Amino acid sequence: TSLSDASQSSWSTTLSYFLNNQRRTYAMHLKGLVSGLPRWLRESDAGRGLANAAFSPWPTLVQFSSSLSHTMGDLQAYQVPIKVLADTILKPVTSEQFLWRNSAGLTWIPFTMLTASTSWSSTRDLREYSDSMSIGRIANAAHQSLFGADVGVERDRDFTNSIQFGPHLASWLAPSVSVVSNFILSRSLTGRNPVRIDGDTAGAYILPQTLNDSRVITYLVSVDPRKLMQRLFGDSSGIAGMLTNIRPIQFSQAHTVESTFDLARFNPSLGYQLALGGFSSFLARDGEEALGAANATNTSVSASVDLHGGFSAQLNYSSTTSDRYQQNSGLIGFLETTGSTQSWPSGRFNFVRTFRNGLITQVSASTTLQHDQATSSSPLGDGT
């Protein structure tokens, strides 16, 4: 019922480097500094940690990968299920992909309480596009060179960074803070019209690009009530014994900001890729407003206790507030939507009983309770 002829050829080559180092530290010799502190601070976990502080100058993980690939294919569909003389003038549909992909990553733990990591990946298109369309001419003009060799135009990029700081202050207290940023660039080399840098009537053309940026700051505090009471009243105190079955209580708060710029006319700076600045820098950048942005905060508390007779319980509280800004055609400025979600009461109750002898070896049961309440509001077109 149909006849077609297809052929394809491809090749690829990859160079990778991976180094996983054992963490090596060098003592900082801060015991003399700690000896001048008050006794209660000198003998605390924080004081002992400062006295034994060590520095690691080398990263524990380094990796790099570079891949070059090329694929060429032809597809010819005949008019009827047999070859006829008219088919000699038909030209096959040719498809080509010529990509150079690079990625790199690094993890560094300079101190026991500090961890930093970064990862970067990029794809470059090495194809030469047809000059019959304006987008093709812009793509060819955007090619760059490295040591005299053509390295094409960057098609996409992903850049992620994280820093985690968790000091050991006391046996009953474990605070930490982490900052994670993520940047994604995506350029369209076909299918969309070029973008003018200075608006609709002036300025040079660039490739249409979409930029996504986000930053998440998370605060976490873990409190062990039993160890706290032991610290205050002694290991053999009655109140410390009453709290033996209570697990550490977790307090956390995460603050997220993110934005999307579509058909962006500005070149993303390093500060933007690292998601630096306040929320205003996510709403607008270099005089250009974002297509959409969000500012959200989530707070949660979790506590667990092991009861007698095989019973255990876990209680959770969670609250989220968010403000979302979206461009709306026909309106000046952003359309803002505010919302909040609260989960309370929320918990899980378990029962597990194990038998050494008999036909039944274990009996278990569990139940979950959760009550959620959410509200959301956004203005109508007339502003109400």
Side-chain angles (χ1 to χ4, degrees):
T1 57
S2 64
L3 180 65
S4 61
D5 187 9
S7 63
Q8 179 177 292
S9 62
S10 63
W11 59 264
S12 64
T13 180
T14 302
L15 174 67
S16 299
Y17 176 79
F18 182 85
L19 177 64
N20 193 353
N21 281 329
Q22 183 178 2
R23 187 170 181 267
R24 299 179 180 179
T25 60
Y26 300 89
M28 300 180 65
H29 305 290
L30 299 178
K31 293 183 179 180
L33 176 63
V34 176
S35 62
L37 298 176
R39 180 179 178 182
W40 65 269
L41 181 57
R42 184 174 63 250
E43 296 180 354
S44 65
D45 291 349
R48 288 192 295 266
L50 184 60
N52 300 321
F55 176 71
S56 177
W58 314 114
T60 57
L61 176 64
V62 178
Q63 57 184 356
F64 170 78
S65 178
S66 182
S67 175
L68 194 64
S69 63
H70 182 270
T71 301
M72 179 73 76
D74 289 333
L75 174 63
Q76 181 168 326
Y78 297 99
Q79 298 179 3
V80 292
I82 61 173
K83 295 182 180 180
V84 296
L85 182 62
D87 294 333
T88 58
I89 63 173
L90 296 178
K91 292 184 177 181
V93 178
T94 301
S95 60
E96 181 186 14
Q97 272 200 347
F98 196 9
L99 302 176
W100 185 27
R101 295 184 175 94
N102 296 283
S103 63
L106 183 145
T107 300
W108 183 33
I109 310 176
F111 305 99
T112 306
M113 59 182 175
L114 182 63
T115 302
S117 63
T118 180
S119 64
W120 169 88
S121 63
S122 173
T123 302
R124 305 190 68 87
D125 195 328
L126 305 181
R127 287 180 296 182
E128 289 289 340
Y129 287 85
S130 173
D131 292 338
S132 60
M133 299 182 64
S134 58
I135 188 68
R137 294 191 294 270
I138 299 300
N140 293 335
H143 278 226
Q144 296 177 326
S145 61
L146 180 65
F147 304 119
D150 184 9
V151 293
V153 57
E154 188 175 33
R155 191 184 69 176
D156 56 69
R157 186 193 316 162
D158 192 319
F159 190 31
T160 303
N161 298 273
S162 68
I163 296 178
Q164 183 174 0
F165 178 69
H168 188 67
L169 300 180
S171 59
W172 58 272
L173 179 64
S176 67
V177 58
S178 64
V179 182
V180 179
S181 66
N182 178 244
F183 167 79
I184 298 177
L185 175 146
S186 178
R187 288 194 177 102
S188 176
L189 307 185
T190 58
R192 303 185 75 178
N193 295 324
V195 177
R196 281 188 183 269
I197 298 179
D198 297 329
D200 297 332
T201 59
Y205 284 103
I206 62 172
L207 292 170
Q209 59 183 2
T210 302
L211 309 177
N212 293 276
D213 207 12
S214 66
R215 182 184 67 214
V216 181
I217 303 178
T218 304
Y219 303 94
L220 178 64
V221 178
S222 178
V223 178
D224 192 328
R226 181 180 63 85
K227 292 184 178 181
L228 176 59
M229 293 300 102
Q230 289 177 342
R231 183 71 176 177
L232 295 177
F233 303 104
D235 296 341
S236 59
S237 62
I239 188 172
M242 295 173 56
L243 301 177
T244 301
N245 296 329
I246 297 181
R247 301 177 186 177
I249 304 174
Q250 303 284 344
F251 302 87
S252 68
Q253 185 177 81
H255 184 208
T256 304
V257 290
E258 57 186 7
S259 65
T260 299
F261 288 83
D262 191 33
L263 301 178
R265 297 187 295 270
F266 64 91
N267 187 31
S269 62
L270 180 60
Y272 177 76
Q273 296 182 55
L274 293 174
L276 302 178
F279 185 61
S280 59
S281 62
F282 286 80
L283 281 176
R285 200 81 181 188
D286 296 342
E288 185 174 348
E289 291 185 337
L291 175 66
N295 186 3
T297 301
N298 174 264
T299 303
S300 63
V301 182
S302 177
S304 301
V305 57
D306 294 326
L307 304 173
H308 295 287
F311 290 93
S312 64
Q314 179 180 359
L315 297 178
N316 304 300
Y317 168 83
S318 177
S319 175
T320 302
T321 59
S322 63
D323 296 324
R324 296 190 175 275
Y325 302 80
Q326 191 72 31
Q327 291 282 359
N328 194 5
S329 59
L331 295 179
I332 299 177
F334 293 99
L335 181 65
E336 182 179 357
T337 300
T338 61
S340 64
T341 302
Q342 180 175 286
S343 178
W344 177 258
S346 175
R348 183 179 179 86
F349 304 91
N350 302 298
F351 169 78
V352 178
R353 185 69 181 270
T354 303
F355 303 92
R356 295 183 178 180
N357 301 316
L359 297 177
I360 299 176
T361 59
Q362 187 183 78
V363 175
S364 62
S366 64
T367 183
T368 301
L369 171 68
Q370 182 168 327
H371 176 263
D372 296 334
Q373 182 175 353
T375 62
S376 178
S377 63
S378 59
L380 301 177
D382 58 1
T384 58

PDB file of all heavy atoms in Angstrom, residues 347-364:
ATOM      1  N   GLY A 347      -1.340  13.182  60.969  1.00  0.00           N
ATOM      2  CA  GLY A 347      -0.513  12.234  61.695  1.00  0.00           C
ATOM      3  C   GLY A 347      -0.719  10.811  61.233  1.00  0.00           C
ATOM      4  O   GLY A 347      -1.633  10.515  60.445  1.00  0.00           O
ATOM      5  N   ARG A 348       0.130   9.967  61.734  1.00  0.00           N
ATOM      6  CA  ARG A 348       0.057   8.537  61.433  1.00  0.00           C
ATOM      7  C   ARG A 348       0.273   7.761  62.731  1.00  0.00           C
ATOM      8  O   ARG A 348       1.203   8.065  63.490  1.00  0.00           O
ATOM      9  CB  ARG A 348       1.116   8.146  60.398  1.00  0.00           C
ATOM     10  CG  ARG A 348       1.056   6.677  59.978  1.00  0.00           C
ATOM     11  CD  ARG A 348       2.114   6.373  58.929  1.00  0.00           C
ATOM     12  NE  ARG A 348       2.085   4.979  58.527  1.00  0.00           N
ATOM     13  CZ  ARG A 348       1.307   4.487  57.573  1.00  0.00           C
ATOM     14  NH1 ARG A 348       0.472   5.300  56.935  1.00  0.00           N
ATOM     15  NH2 ARG A 348       1.338   3.207  57.251  1.00  0.00           N
ATOM     16  N   PHE A 349      -0.574   6.759  62.946  1.00  0.00           N
ATOM     17  CA  PHE A 349      -0.516   5.952  64.162  1.00  0.00           C
ATOM     18  C   PHE A 349      -0.322   4.489  63.758  1.00  0.00           C
ATOM     19  O   PHE A 349      -1.047   3.982  62.891  1.00  0.00           O
ATOM     20  CB  PHE A 349      -1.798   6.133  64.978  1.00  0.00           C
ATOM     21  CG  PHE A 349      -2.093   7.565  65.318  1.00  0.00           C
ATOM     22  CD1 PHE A 349      -2.877   8.342  64.474  1.00  0.00           C
ATOM     23  CD2 PHE A 349      -1.575   8.139  66.473  1.00  0.00           C
ATOM     24  CE1 PHE A 349      -3.144   9.668  64.770  1.00  0.00           C
ATOM     25  CE2 PHE A 349      -1.844   9.462  66.777  1.00  0.00           C
ATOM     26  CZ  PHE A 349      -2.616  10.228  65.933  1.00  0.00           C
ATOM     27  N   ASN A 350       0.641   3.831  64.386  1.00  0.00           N
ATOM     28  CA  ASN A 350       0.992   2.458  64.029  1.00  0.00           C
ATOM     29  C   ASN A 350       0.950   1.554  65.254  1.00  0.00           C
ATOM     30  O   ASN A 350       1.190   1.993  66.388  1.00  0.00           O
ATOM     31  CB  ASN A 350       2.396   2.408  63.413  1.00  0.00           C
ATOM     32  CG  ASN A 350       2.527   3.288  62.187  1.00  0.00           C
ATOM     33  OD1 ASN A 350       1.856   3.075  61.188  1.00  0.00           O
ATOM     34  ND2 ASN A 350       3.390   4.281  62.267  1.00  0.00           N
ATOM     35  N   PHE A 351       0.672   0.286  64.976  1.00  0.00           N
ATOM     36  CA  PHE A 351       0.750  -0.755  65.997  1.00  0.00           C
ATOM     37  C   PHE A 351       1.420  -1.971  65.378  1.00  0.00           C
ATOM     38  O   PHE A 351       1.008  -2.448  64.311  1.00  0.00           O
ATOM     39  CB  PHE A 351      -0.639  -1.140  66.517  1.00  0.00           C
ATOM     40  CG  PHE A 351      -0.629  -2.381  67.373  1.00  0.00           C
ATOM     41  CD1 PHE A 351      -0.194  -2.318  68.695  1.00  0.00           C
ATOM     42  CD2 PHE A 351      -1.032  -3.604  66.853  1.00  0.00           C
ATOM     43  CE1 PHE A 351      -0.172  -3.464  69.485  1.00  0.00           C
ATOM     44  CE2 PHE A 351      -1.011  -4.753  67.632  1.00  0.00           C
ATOM     45  CZ  PHE A 351      -0.580  -4.682  68.954  1.00  0.00           C
ATOM     46  N   VAL A 352       2.468  -2.448  66.020  1.00  0.00           N
ATOM     47  CA  VAL A 352       3.191  -3.639  65.556  1.00  0.00           C
ATOM     48  C   VAL A 352       3.452  -4.528  66.762  1.00  0.00           C
ATOM     49  O   VAL A 352       4.019  -4.076  67.775  1.00  0.00           O
ATOM     50  CB  VAL A 352       4.521  -3.275  64.864  1.00  0.00           C
ATOM     51  CG1 VAL A 352       5.250  -4.547  64.439  1.00  0.00           C
ATOM     52  CG2 VAL A 352       4.279  -2.384  63.662  1.00  0.00           C
ATOM     53  N   ARG A 353       3.055  -5.779  66.647  1.00  0.00           N
ATOM     54  CA  ARG A 353       3.274  -6.754  67.732  1.00  0.00           C
ATOM     55  C   ARG A 353       3.850  -8.021  67.114  1.00  0.00           C
ATOM     56  O   ARG A 353       3.265  -8.594  66.193  1.00  0.00           O
ATOM     57  CB  ARG A 353       1.967  -7.049  68.464  1.00  0.00           C
ATOM     58  CG  ARG A 353       2.118  -7.950  69.686  1.00  0.00           C
ATOM     59  CD  ARG A 353       2.859  -7.256  70.800  1.00  0.00           C
ATOM     60  NE  ARG A 353       3.022  -8.118  71.961  1.00  0.00           N
ATOM     61  CZ  ARG A 353       2.147  -8.181  72.961  1.00  0.00           C
ATOM     62  NH1 ARG A 353       1.037  -7.436  72.910  1.00  0.00           N
ATOM     63  NH2 ARG A 353       2.361  -8.956  73.995  1.00  0.00           N
ATOM     64  N   THR A 354       4.998  -8.476  67.627  1.00  0.00           N
ATOM     65  CA  THR A 354       5.683  -9.654  67.109  1.00  0.00           C
ATOM     66  C   THR A 354       5.597 -10.793  68.122  1.00  0.00           C
ATOM     67  O   THR A 354       5.763 -10.575  69.331  1.00  0.00           O
ATOM     68  CB  THR A 354       7.154  -9.333  66.802  1.00  0.00           C
ATOM     69  OG1 THR A 354       7.221  -8.243  65.876  1.00  0.00           O
ATOM     70  CG2 THR A 354       7.854 -10.533  66.186  1.00  0.00           C
ATOM     71  N   PHE A 355       5.322 -12.007  67.604  1.00  0.00           N
ATOM     72  CA  PHE A 355       5.212 -13.199  68.438  1.00  0.00           C
ATOM     73  C   PHE A 355       6.321 -14.175  68.067  1.00  0.00           C
ATOM     74  O   PHE A 355       6.579 -14.418  66.884  1.00  0.00           O
ATOM     75  CB  PHE A 355       3.841 -13.868  68.252  1.00  0.00           C
ATOM     76  CG  PHE A 355       2.680 -12.955  68.540  1.00  0.00           C
ATOM     77  CD1 PHE A 355       2.089 -12.218  67.520  1.00  0.00           C
ATOM     78  CD2 PHE A 355       2.195 -12.818  69.833  1.00  0.00           C
ATOM     79  CE1 PHE A 355       1.025 -11.375  67.786  1.00  0.00           C
ATOM     80  CE2 PHE A 355       1.122 -11.983  70.096  1.00  0.00           C
ATOM     81  CZ  PHE A 355       0.552 -11.257  69.076  1.00  0.00           C
ATOM     82  N   ARG A 356       6.968 -14.721  69.077  1.00  0.00           N
ATOM     83  CA  ARG A 356       8.063 -15.652  68.824  1.00  0.00           C
ATOM     84  C   ARG A 356       7.566 -17.036  68.427  1.00  0.00           C
ATOM     85  O   ARG A 356       8.186 -17.718  67.616  1.00  0.00           O
ATOM     86  CB  ARG A 356       8.943 -15.764  70.070  1.00  0.00           C
ATOM     87  CG  ARG A 356       9.656 -14.466  70.430  1.00  0.00           C
ATOM     88  CD  ARG A 356      10.563 -14.679  71.645  1.00  0.00           C
ATOM     89  NE  ARG A 356      11.290 -13.463  71.976  1.00  0.00           N
ATOM     90  CZ  ARG A 356      12.151 -13.363  72.990  1.00  0.00           C
ATOM     91  NH1 ARG A 356      12.379 -14.427  73.778  1.00  0.00           N
ATOM     92  NH2 ARG A 356      12.761 -12.224  73.219  1.00  0.00           N
ATOM     93  N   ASN A 357       6.455 -17.472  69.018  1.00  0.00           N
ATOM     94  CA  ASN A 357       5.939 -18.811  68.751  1.00  0.00           C
ATOM     95  C   ASN A 357       4.501 -18.716  68.262  1.00  0.00           C
ATOM     96  O   ASN A 357       3.804 -17.720  68.469  1.00  0.00           O
ATOM     97  CB  ASN A 357       5.998 -19.681  70.019  1.00  0.00           C
ATOM     98  CG  ASN A 357       7.423 -19.806  70.557  1.00  0.00           C
ATOM     99  OD1 ASN A 357       8.362 -20.013  69.784  1.00  0.00           O
ATOM    100  ND2 ASN A 357       7.568 -19.679  71.874  1.00  0.00           N
ATOM    101  N   GLY A 358       4.058 -19.795  67.609  1.00  0.00           N
ATOM    102  CA  GLY A 358       2.684 -19.844  67.158  1.00  0.00           C
ATOM    103  C   GLY A 358       2.549 -19.661  65.659  1.00  0.00           C
ATOM    104  O   GLY A 358       3.518 -19.429  64.929  1.00  0.00           O
ATOM    105  N   LEU A 359       1.302 -19.786  65.191  1.00  0.00           N
ATOM    106  CA  LEU A 359       1.036 -19.651  63.770  1.00  0.00           C
ATOM    107  C   LEU A 359       1.163 -18.212  63.292  1.00  0.00           C
ATOM    108  O   LEU A 359       1.476 -17.964  62.126  1.00  0.00           O
ATOM    109  CB  LEU A 359      -0.378 -20.171  63.463  1.00  0.00           C
ATOM    110  CG  LEU A 359      -0.621 -21.662  63.745  1.00  0.00           C
ATOM    111  CD1 LEU A 359      -2.081 -22.010  63.470  1.00  0.00           C
ATOM    112  CD2 LEU A 359       0.311 -22.535  62.910  1.00  0.00           C
ATOM    113  N   ILE A 360       0.917 -17.258  64.149  1.00  0.00           N
ATOM    114  CA  ILE A 360       0.981 -15.840  63.786  1.00  0.00           C
ATOM    115  C   ILE A 360       2.302 -15.271  64.308  1.00  0.00           C
ATOM    116  O   ILE A 360       2.608 -15.369  65.491  1.00  0.00           O
ATOM    117  CB  ILE A 360      -0.211 -15.071  64.373  1.00  0.00           C
ATOM    118  CG1 ILE A 360      -1.530 -15.631  63.831  1.00  0.00           C
ATOM    119  CG2 ILE A 360      -0.108 -13.593  64.053  1.00  0.00           C
ATOM    120  CD1 ILE A 360      -2.757 -14.985  64.429  1.00  0.00           C
ATOM    121  N   THR A 361       3.076 -14.703  63.414  1.00  0.00           N
ATOM    122  CA  THR A 361       4.374 -14.144  63.801  1.00  0.00           C
ATOM    123  C   THR A 361       4.319 -12.648  64.041  1.00  0.00           C
ATOM    124  O   THR A 361       5.115 -12.115  64.815  1.00  0.00           O
ATOM    125  CB  THR A 361       5.419 -14.442  62.720  1.00  0.00           C
ATOM    126  OG1 THR A 361       4.986 -13.872  61.480  1.00  0.00           O
ATOM    127  CG2 THR A 361       5.593 -15.947  62.545  1.00  0.00           C
ATOM    128  N   GLN A 362       3.369 -11.959  63.390  1.00  0.00           N
ATOM    129  CA  GLN A 362       3.301 -10.506  63.560  1.00  0.00           C
ATOM    130  C   GLN A 362       1.904 -10.002  63.252  1.00  0.00           C
ATOM    131  O   GLN A 362       1.239 -10.480  62.330  1.00  0.00           O
ATOM    132  CB  GLN A 362       4.316  -9.814  62.636  1.00  0.00           C
ATOM    133  CG  GLN A 362       4.434  -8.309  62.884  1.00  0.00           C
ATOM    134  CD  GLN A 362       5.397  -7.645  61.910  1.00  0.00           C
ATOM    135  OE1 GLN A 362       5.065  -7.390  60.770  1.00  0.00           O
ATOM    136  NE2 GLN A 362       6.612  -7.365  62.388  1.00  0.00           N
ATOM    137  N   VAL A 363       1.478  -9.033  64.034  1.00  0.00           N
ATOM    138  CA  VAL A 363       0.221  -8.331  63.812  1.00  0.00           C
ATOM    139  C   VAL A 363       0.528  -6.839  63.723  1.00  0.00           C
ATOM    140  O   VAL A 363       1.218  -6.289  64.590  1.00  0.00           O
ATOM    141  CB  VAL A 363      -0.788  -8.600  64.960  1.00  0.00           C
ATOM    142  CG1 VAL A 363      -2.046  -7.765  64.761  1.00  0.00           C
ATOM    143  CG2 VAL A 363      -1.140 -10.074  65.013  1.00  0.00           C
ATOM    144  N   SER A 364       0.057  -6.191  62.671  1.00  0.00           N
ATOM    145  CA  SER A 364       0.332  -4.765  62.492  1.00  0.00           C
ATOM    146  C   SER A 364      -0.924  -4.061  61.989  1.00  0.00           C
ATOM    147  O   SER A 364      -1.748  -4.657  61.295  1.00  0.00           O
ATOM    148  CB  SER A 364       1.485  -4.542  61.500  1.00  0.00           C
ATOM    149  OG  SER A 364       1.137  -5.043  60.223  1.00  0.00           O
TER     150      SER A 364
END
